[in-house]
Amino acid sequence: MIRGFYTIMAAQFFSSLADSALLFVAIDLLAAMHAPPSLIPLLKLSFVLFYVLLAPFVGAFADSMLKGRVMFIANLIKIFGCGLVFTGIHPLLAYAVVGFGAAVYSPAKYGILTELLPPEKLVVANGWIEGLTVLSIILGTAFGGALVSPMGGAWLVGLHLPVIQNIIATPSQASLAVLIGVYILAAIFNLGVPDTGARYDHQERNPTRLIADFANCSATLWKDKLGQISLAVTTLFWGAGATLQLIVIKWAERSLKMPLDKSSFLIGTFALGVAAGAAAAAKIIPLKKSLTVIPLGVVMGLVVTSMTLVHSVTVAVPLLMIIGLLSGFFVVPMNALLQHRGHVLMSAGHSIAVQNFNENLSILTMLAVYAIMLTLNLDLNIIIVLFGCMLAGLMHMIGRRHAANQREHDSLALIGEHKH
């Protein structure tokens, strides 16, 4: 069990590392094409699009075979997406294909935890997975920043490696070739992911029935008194997190006068805070106490608005660290609770697919709104204030909903319940 968990973590680390670095390489590709600024949020939007479109199907696919095999196939899709750029495909389309692979990967990545570990270990396991994922984001953003820097790109092109030197003509293509190598490494670790012994009934293949089954699973999770709260929190968090990542890049450019390769340092700082918060939550917060962290989401939203007052890197670094710390501390227990309720009420793959659908629909919505704001040339400080207040307000509403649920019935008693 321990060896299998470490193998899963290694595979997740390298796949996430490449995903994080790829965003900066893709942004650099758009900059080289002199694309309008509104295309940058659309780039992220294209990545998460398949999380929403494929949600009714990827859960059944993840449960139809060994999770390690599913993860291996998903990494092959990511490699194919990176390779499309070499054929002249637009970066938006190529990045969308990588998102397709990520959408296939996710139900298997998280679903295998509920197969491998008992419920009481899920918060700790999620703390490790989220902490390692955030570490990969830190290193991935730094890696991506190094790849798109003038010195890094020139060094890669100057290597003149045999066989591939005729294919690679630009620094961006050289960066993509490096990331393909990282995805290949992740795929190799996928081959070592153990068989947990979990087997599910024959999975439906009829698209209409799959959509109906997915709708039923989604309704089940939203009606559950614990599921609806944890799903609402994680849905809001991931939508806000994806948008905040792009806001920080623009904020670094406008307020701190930092270029793209340097702004990756700030994203890494935020991610470091998330890792610290995730590790602290894994150590301090048991599954039974997971809902006590909801007020931290309100605090996080209010702290985000203070970004408008910062114009110095020395102040920006600790501020982003604090925002990340609050984020990691409240999302890890909620994510573990959601996984637990999903496993109790339905299969692992299906519950993660429902989670992915809602979380990425939130990402699509927030990124679309952010793209519209940029198109309208809305002042960045106004965007930041609106974003922070919205986050704090919605988290407060979720907290009130949980309090109302508790007045009707002690939903906390459901934590630890055996699978139905």
Side-chain angles (χ1 to χ4, degrees), residues 325-348:
L325 186 70
L326 292 169
S327 303
F329 197 86
F330 89 83
V331 78
V332 165
M334 301 306 293
N335 204 44
L337 178 61
L338 180 57
Q339 288 179 18
H340 170 56
R341 289 308 295 167
H343 183 62
V344 167
L345 298 170
M346 61 198 74
S347 71

Side-chain angles (χ1 to χ4, degrees), residues 27 31 37 40 245-264 266 307 310-311 313 370 374 380 384:
I27 292 174
I40 293 178
Q245 186 181 41
L246 297 183
I247 287 176
V248 168
I249 292 174
K250 180 63 69 175
W251 176 63
E253 176 191 342
R254 295 278 179 88
S255 298
L256 306 178
K257 310 303 180 185
M258 299 177 70
L260 177 62
D261 60 306
K262 302 296 183 184
S263 64
S264 63
L266 293 181
M307 289 170 58
V310 177
H311 300 280
V313 176
Y370 178 56
L374 290 179
L380 183 63
I384 292 173

Side-chain angles (χ1 to χ4, degrees), residues 83-164:
L84 283 176
V85 175
F86 293 96
T87 66
I89 295 293
H90 195 281
L92 280 175
L93 181 57
Y95 200 55
V97 173
V98 178
F100 179 95
V104 173
Y105 191 94
S106 187
K109 172 185 70 176
Y110 285 110
I112 196 172
L113 294 181
T114 57
E115 296 177 357
L116 192 67
L117 302 168
E120 62 271 13
K121 297 291 186 182
L122 283 178
V123 173
V124 175
N126 268 274
W128 277 100
I129 288 289
E130 293 299 335
L132 191 72
T133 299
V134 170
L135 178 61
S136 71
I137 293 172
I138 295 169
L139 296 177
T141 51
F143 189 33
L147 289 175
V148 300
S149 66
M151 185 179 298
W155 181 78
L156 288 173
V157 173
L159 289 178
H160 299 299
L161 297 176
V163 181
I164 63 172

Side-chain angles (χ1 to χ4, degrees), residues 170-390:
T170 66
S172 296
Q173 290 179 341
S175 300
L176 285 170
V178 172
L179 295 182
I180 287 174
V182 178
Y183 280 128
I184 290 173
L185 183 59
I188 292 172
F189 276 105
N190 291 149
L191 296 176
V193 172
D195 180 359
T196 62
R199 297 292 184 272
Y200 301 98
D201 295 335
H202 175 70
Q203 298 299 309
E204 182 61 63
R205 295 184 179 181
N206 184 293
T208 304
R209 292 180 180 177
L210 280 171
I211 293 173
D213 182 47
F214 174 79
N216 179 60
C217 289
S218 184
T220 299
L221 207 50
W222 274 113
K223 289 177 182 178
D224 182 73
K225 296 300 183 183
L226 286 179
Q228 64 183 220
I229 301 300
S230 55
L231 185 54
V233 171
T234 58
T235 294
L236 177 60
F237 172 82
W238 289 111
T243 310
L244 183 62
Q245 186 181 41
L246 297 183
I247 287 176
V248 168
I249 292 174
K250 180 63 69 175
W251 176 63
E253 176 191 342
R254 295 278 179 88
S255 298
L256 306 178
K257 310 303 180 185
M258 299 177 70
L260 177 62
D261 60 306
K262 302 296 183 184
S263 64
S264 63
F265 165 71
L266 293 181
I267 301 294
T269 300
F270 169 75
L272 184 61
V274 176
K283 187 174 182 179
I284 298 172
I285 307 295
L287 194 62
K288 288 276 187 181
K289 300 288 185 180
S290 54
L291 288 161
T292 60
V293 300
I294 290 179
L296 292 179
V298 179
V299 176
M300 174 190 164
L302 296 176
V303 174
V304 165
T305 61
S306 66
M307 289 170 58
T308 58
L309 305 174
V310 177
H311 300 280
S312 166
V313 176
T314 55
V315 179
V317 169
L319 176 63
L320 290 176
M321 181 76 76
I322 291 171
I323 294 173
L325 186 70
L326 292 169
S327 303
F329 197 86
F330 89 83
V331 78
V332 165
M334 301 306 293
N335 204 44
L337 178 61
L338 180 57
Q339 288 179 18
H340 170 56
R341 289 308 295 167
H343 183 62
V344 167
L345 298 170
M346 61 198 74
S347 71
H350 284 74
S351 66
I352 300 300
V354 170
Q355 181 179 350
N356 283 341
F357 173 80
N358 286 278
E359 291 174 357
N360 288 282
L361 187 60
S362 172
I363 292 174
L364 287 175
T365 303
M366 291 194 185
L367 287 176
V369 171
Y370 178 56
I372 292 171
M373 288 179 173
L374 290 179
T375 304
L376 295 174
N377 293 318
L378 202 62
D379 185 77
L380 183 63
N381 285 340
I382 294 177
I383 293 176
I384 292 173
V385 170
L386 290 174
F387 175 77
C389 291
M390 176 274 299

